[in-house]
Structures are given as C-alpha cells and as structure tokens.
C-alpha cells in the first residue's frame, strides 16, 4: 500500500484536502476539502444518498440542526457516557487516549503502562474526558442556555421521529437518514482525516419491530458490503469486527465495526449497531412526548427498536483514496494514478487542444468543451505538452481525456484516452456525450 505521507502530500498538492485554517498554522483536528476534495465528497454523498435513501423508498431524508440543547444529550446519555479514557503525562503534560497507549481493543480498562510514550514521564490516573463541544445560545453564558455541537447526527433522527411519523405516515420498517457535520473534542486528533474534531457523517436509523431486528441487521450488513464495493473501497482491506460488550457505545446492544487496513493500522471505517429502543425510551421519558408507533392493523402502540448503519465521510474519502492510489509504468514512463470509480471522480473528462497555438484547433476544442460541460463534470487543460496533461489528470483520477487534433477538423472525431489502460480510441463528436453517459451507468 502507498506510504501514508505520499498520499497526504498528493491530497494537499492536488487540491483534495488542506489543513484547516492553514495560513495560521492549521487548527488540530480540522481538515478542509479543496476544489477536488469538495467534488469527490459531494459525489460520494450523492452516491450514498442514492444507495441508501433513494433506492429504499421506506427511508426518509432529514437535515437537522447542529446545535442541540443539553436536554437532548442528557436524555441520549451522551452527557454522562460519551467520553474517552485519558491519561496525562505528569512531566510533559501531553494527553493520551488510553487505547493509544494500550493498542486495540479500545476498552475502558485501566492501563498497566504508566509511562508517557513521548518523554517517558510518569502518567497520571485514568480520567474520563467528555468529547462534546459545549457553548451557549444567546448573550448570557448561563447553564440554562447551554447548547452542544452534536457529537453524532443520530439524535436529530430520534428527536424528529414523531414529526416524521405524523407527516409521512410510514409503516414499519422504515428509516430516517441524514448526512451532516458532527463534532468531537478528540483528545488526540491524528492520522489525517481519520480522527478529526469536526467531520461529516452519513447515517440512518432504521426503525423495526423488536422481534425482527436481527433480520434487518443482516440485511443492512449486506448492503454495507455492497456500498464498500460501489464506492471503490478495496474489499480485501475491509474486515468485520464483532465489538465486545465492554467496548461498545453506551447505547449499543450489538455492534459490528467494518475495519479498514489503513497504513497506520487496522481501524474502524464504518459501524453497524443495534441500539434497541434506548433512544426512543429515553427521549419519551425526558421530553414527555408520546413517541409510540401505532400498528395500522392491530392498533397496538409501542416504541420501535433501531438498527443503525453509520459511515464517516472523511474515513470514506481516505479509504477511497488509499484504494485508488496506484503507481505503474506506461509507455516506459512511471506514473501515479488514482483509479477512482468514474461515478465519484471529481473530474470525469478533461478536454485538450493538441496544440494551443493553432486557432482552429483551440476553437474546435472549446466547442467540444462547451458541449460537454452542461452534461458531465469536464475541465479544460492546455498547459504543457500532452504527456504532462495526461499525467496531471491521471494523478487526480480523471477517467477520460479528450484530445482535439488535426484529424478532428477533417472528420469531426476526437481521441478519448482511458486513464487505466492508456488506450485511445476515436469517437465522433456527436456521440461523445452518450459515450460517457453509457460508461457512467
Ligand atoms: N451514531 C453512531 C455514531 O456516531 P460512531 O462509531 O461514534 O457512531 C460513526 O461514529 C462513524 O464516524 C465511525 O464509524 C467513523 O467512520 C466516523 N468517526 C468517528 N469518529 C471520528 C473522528 N474523530 N474523525 C473522523 N471520523 C470519525
């Protein structure tokens, strides 16, 4: 697999990912998507939405607020339970997550190792560190207007369970899905996009009858594997881990982690959890709202149980880039390429005039470019020689390069060059759009 530093530097150099607040030296745990990263992330989100929401009409979309009051987090158990065990070095004051010292599993047991890995100073007691970012709504910073940046997007789905019931009249099983930001004050943000303090989640809560949770758990487990394949993550690098009880989140009765072989070790990519009725029970109790579902046939009222597939967007971007990164030799020359699935590639087609000093070739290339732009993500490139342009596009994963040359002026055909094989074929300009659309299906 690619060296991690090589990928991180490609990501910055080619405009995929920049350190947050870069010109001020960066802000730990924040990463910003550059022009190509924003396109890639956008395409991944659309593909996810299509796979898990549009293709499952029983799943409903939602976009809830990032700020939520203390009452929500008290009910959900995050105020008391959403913490990581941490040890502080008495000498250099550096804080460590206990699992960083002990390695996996990330259980909350006390470490036997008492030595700081950095300065070899003595580590203090293990303390629980709550990961939520707290702030205040309004002018007065008082306890009664404390609000939190959501550490998980799931609570939006539970808080709006009744609104979705009342407005959409769904019948079980059904899901509520959203994509959005989550914030965690990680003790030790690290490994690029892997552990950030601000990140995006794609997730849904699937509401089921208690007696049926296992079959739905299995169904979504299979769909998660289908997603791994669809988005272009190398399947062989993904492994399921049955998370032991002591390592599960406070709300979970069963969790499977989908782990990925990152260059820094095998670690969680996605999660699939059975949350039971924990969240609806607690929100009903704390809010006083009647959150029961009414069976349309029997009239029975009950709180459904929940199966939750969850996907970090940053970790997806990372796994996709790691899976796509290749180095090979083409025409006797070494090259770097990203074998991104065309569906998520930030640029699908690059259009080149063969030479940039021949007016009629440039004009024809512009015409082809203008024709493609409304249909498909297309970029113009006329800098350097053709070989350099190919290398540049290979490195950002552009699946096809279109060159307008002298022959184009005679027979209205262009060359289409395939990123992975380097093979070129002549395609008539009037068939170009359907040529790409066919390959993007
Ligand atoms: N609602 C369930 C939930 O939030 P989680 O396992 O705590 O579950 C979900 O987080 C996903 O978010 C993880 O599987 C991972 O992909 C991603 N994730 C978690 N912490 C992260 C962090 N600090 N930085 C980037 N992604 C993170």
């Amino acid at each position: 697999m690619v060296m991690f530093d090589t990928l991180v530097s490609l990501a910055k150099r080619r405009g995929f990912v920049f350190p947050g607040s870069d010109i001020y030296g960066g802000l730990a745990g924040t990463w910003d998507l550059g022009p190509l990263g924003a396109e890639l992330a956008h395409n991944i989100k659309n593909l996810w939405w299509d796979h898990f929401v549009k293709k499952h009409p029983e799943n409903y979309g939602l976009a809830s607020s990032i700020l939520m009051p203390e009452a929500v987090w008290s009910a959900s158990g995050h105020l008391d339970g959403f913490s990581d065990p941490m040890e502080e070095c008495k000498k250099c004051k550096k804080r460590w997550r206990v699992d960083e010292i002990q390695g996996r599993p990330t259980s909350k047991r006390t470490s036997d190792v008492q030595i700081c890995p950095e300065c070899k100073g003595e580590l203090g007691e293990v303390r629980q560190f709550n990961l939520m970012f707290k702030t205040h709504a309004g002018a007065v910073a008082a306890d009664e207007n404390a609000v939190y940046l959501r550490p998980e997007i799931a609570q939006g789905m539970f808080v709006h369970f009744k609104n979705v019931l009342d407005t959409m009249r769904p019948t079980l099983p059904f899901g509520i899905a959203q994509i959005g930001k989550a914030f965690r004050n990680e003790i030790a943000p690290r490994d690029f996009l892997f552990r950030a303090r601000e990140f995006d989640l794609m997730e849904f809560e699937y509401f089921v009858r208690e007696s049926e949770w296992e079959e739905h758990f299995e169904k979504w487990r299979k769909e998660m594997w289908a997603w791994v394949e669809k988005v272009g993550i190398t399947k062989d690098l993904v492994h399921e881990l049955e998370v032991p009880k002591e390592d599960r989140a406070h709300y979970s009765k069963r969790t499977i982690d989908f782990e990925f072989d990152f260059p820094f070790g095998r670690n969680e990519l996605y999660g699939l959890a059975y949350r039971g009725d924990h969240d609806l029970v607690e929100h009903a109790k704390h809010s006083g709202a009647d959150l029961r579902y009414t069976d349309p046939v029997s009239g029975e009222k009950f709180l459904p149980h929940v199966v939750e597939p969850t996907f970090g967007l940053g970790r997806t971007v990372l796994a996709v880039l790691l899976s796509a990164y290749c180095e090979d030799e083409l025409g006797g020359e070494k090259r770097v390429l990203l074998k991104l699935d065309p569906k998520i590639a930030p640029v699908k087609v690059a259009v080149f005039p063969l030479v940039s000093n021949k007016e009629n070739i440039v004009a024809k290339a512009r015409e082809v470019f203008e024709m493609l732009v409304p249909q498909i993500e297309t970029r113009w490139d006329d800098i350097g020689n053709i070989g350099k342009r190919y290398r540049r596009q290979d490195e950002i994963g552009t699946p096809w390069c279109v060159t307008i040359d002298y022959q184009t002026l005679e027979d209205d055909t262009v060359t289409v060059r395939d990123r992975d094989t380097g093979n070129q074929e002549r395609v008539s300009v009037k068939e170009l759009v359907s040529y790409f659309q066919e390959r993007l299906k």
Side-chain angles (χ1 to χ4, degrees):
M1 187 186 272
V2 55
M3 299 289 290
F4 200 40
D5 290 352
T6 310
L7 186 90
V8 174
S9 96
L10 182 146
K12 175 155 192 200
R13 184 163 42 79
R14 301 313 312 270
F16 282 94
V17 183
F18 304 135
S21 308
D22 200 12
I23 59 169
Y24 289 95
L27 175 65
T30 65
W31 294 96
D32 296 349
L33 297 171
L36 296 184
E39 290 291 344
L40 177 65
H42 182 77
N43 293 342
I44 291 174
K45 286 192 267 187
N46 280 344
L47 195 66
W48 186 91
W49 197 260
D50 186 69
H51 187 81
F52 288 107
V53 186
K54 284 195 184 155
K55 295 249 162 58
H56 296 274
E58 83 279 20
N59 282 349
Y60 298 88
L62 186 80
S64 67
S65 299
I66 285 168
L67 293 176
M68 296 176 103
E70 190 158 288
V72 169
W73 307 111
S74 170
S76 69
H78 283 75
L79 267 188
D80 294 332
F82 197 60
S83 50
D84 273 343
M86 176 196 82
E87 293 173 294
E88 189 179 273
C89 173
K90 291 182 180 168
K91 195 168 148 202
C92 73
K93 305 288 174 218
K94 188 159 178 183
R95 291 171 170 188
W96 300 90
R97 286 164 54 108
V98 169
D99 67 298
E100 276 190 306
I101 308 232
Q102 297 182 152
R104 270 195 88 86
T106 59
S107 65
K108 302 194 180 0
R109 66 200 149 99
T110 308
S111 167
D112 321 322
V113 185
Q114 300 294 334
I115 300 299
C116 172
E118 202 149 284
C119 74
K120 310 288 175 233
E122 193 191 336
L123 293 175
E125 288 296 293
V126 172
R127 284 187 288 142
Q128 293 298 322
F129 176 76
N130 193 292
L131 300 178
M132 286 198 292
F133 280 101
K134 183 177 183 180
T135 184
H136 295 90
V140 183
D143 276 353
E144 56 273 20
N145 55 18
V147 293
Y148 293 80
L149 305 188
R150 60 184 180 192
E152 65 163 2
I153 61 175
Q155 294 309 318
M157 272 87 92
F158 296 122
V159 162
H160 288 295
F161 175 73
K162 185 170 160 46
N163 282 333
V164 174
L165 272 189
D166 292 347
T167 52
M168 309 311 287
R169 306 253 160 228
T171 51
L172 289 179
F174 70 92
I176 309 180
Q178 71 171 321
I179 296 179
K181 290 270 184 200
F183 301 82
R184 296 182 189 174
N185 196 4
E186 295 285 355
I187 298 160
R190 63 178 166 86
D191 298 324
F192 194 38
L193 301 172
F194 178 80
R195 195 178 302 290
R197 289 189 168 131
E198 174 177 343
F199 54 95
D200 287 88
L201 283 172
M202 310 181 285
E203 179 174 281
F204 60 99
E205 310 305 320
Y206 202 69
F207 298 94
V208 301
R209 288 167 204 276
E210 181 179 6
S211 59
E212 295 173 357
W213 78 265
E214 274 156 315
E215 81 187 64
H216 293 294
F217 195 90
E218 284 311 313
K219 169 181 142 175
W220 291 116
R221 179 191 201 159
K222 287 200 189 92
E223 279 301 320
M224 289 177 80
W225 278 108
W227 163 256
V228 164
E229 194 157 16
K230 184 182 263 186
V231 76
I233 294 172
T234 307
K235 262 181 140 178
D236 292 349
L237 299 177
V238 180
H239 313 269
E240 285 189 13
L241 173 83
E242 184 74 47
V243 180
K245 188 167 188 286
E246 64 273 21
D247 291 340
R248 292 201 293 257
H250 61 276
Y251 49 72
S252 174
K253 292 188 168 170
R254 184 181 178 194
T255 297
I256 290 179
D257 278 354
F258 284 64
E259 297 196 312
F260 183 80
D261 290 325
F262 292 100
F264 44 84
R266 186 174 289 184
N267 218 323
E268 180 184 343
L269 172 64
Y270 300 143
L272 173 63
Y274 169 46
R275 294 179 78 125
D277 59 359
H278 166 82
D279 301 271
L280 290 183
V281 165
E282 292 303 323
H283 283 304
K285 201 159 76 190
H286 283 74
S287 68
D290 183 358
L291 300 182
R292 287 173 304 165
Y293 169 83
T294 309
D295 186 289
V297 179
S298 67
E300 184 200 354
K301 286 177 179 284
F302 60 95
L303 291 174
H305 281 228
V306 172
V307 171
E308 177 198 64
T310 183
F311 308 74
L313 178 66
R315 291 189 192 180
T316 306
V317 168
L318 192 50
V320 160
L321 290 176
L322 288 164
S323 301
Y325 185 95
C326 289
E327 290 176 14
D328 69 4
E329 229 180 85
L330 194 67
E333 249 189 79
K334 281 201 171 17
R335 65 167 181 162
V336 168
L337 72 158
L338 290 183
K339 282 192 176 177
L340 294 172
D341 186 296
K343 281 198 272 304
I344 59 163
V347 179
K348 313 273 190 260
V349 181
V351 172
F352 312 154
L354 179 68
V355 285
S356 36
N357 57 357
K358 287 273 178 282
E359 237 174 69
N360 45 0
I361 288 193
V362 174
K364 183 66 190 174
R366 277 278 164 203
E367 192 187 306
V368 172
F369 175 68
E370 306 288 344
M371 177 191 80
L372 290 172
V373 164
Q375 309 288 340
I376 184 166
E377 290 108 315
T378 305
R379 292 284 178 276
W380 176 265
D381 193 354
D382 60 4
I383 299 167
N385 64 36
I386 287 283
K388 286 213 174 97
R389 294 181 216 167
Y390 283 152
R391 297 295 165 270
R392 250 198 320 269
Q393 296 301 329
D394 290 343
E395 216 185 1
I396 63 167
T398 306
W400 302 290
C401 293
V402 167
T403 304
I404 285 76
D405 54 18
Y406 294 99
Q407 194 179 325
T408 314
L409 303 177
E410 287 162 22
D411 62 7
D412 214 35
T413 63
V414 293
T415 63
V416 178
R417 183 250 194 196
D418 179 88
R419 173 196 66 201
D420 300 344
T421 60
N423 292 343
Q424 300 186 18
E425 60 179 316
R426 289 209 82 88
V427 178
S428 105
V429 170
K430 63 176 186 304
E431 282 164 16
L432 211 47
V433 171
S434 54
Y435 176 94
F436 294 128
Q437 281 171 346
E438 199 50 41
R439 282 157 179 77
L440 280 165
K441 273 185 190 155

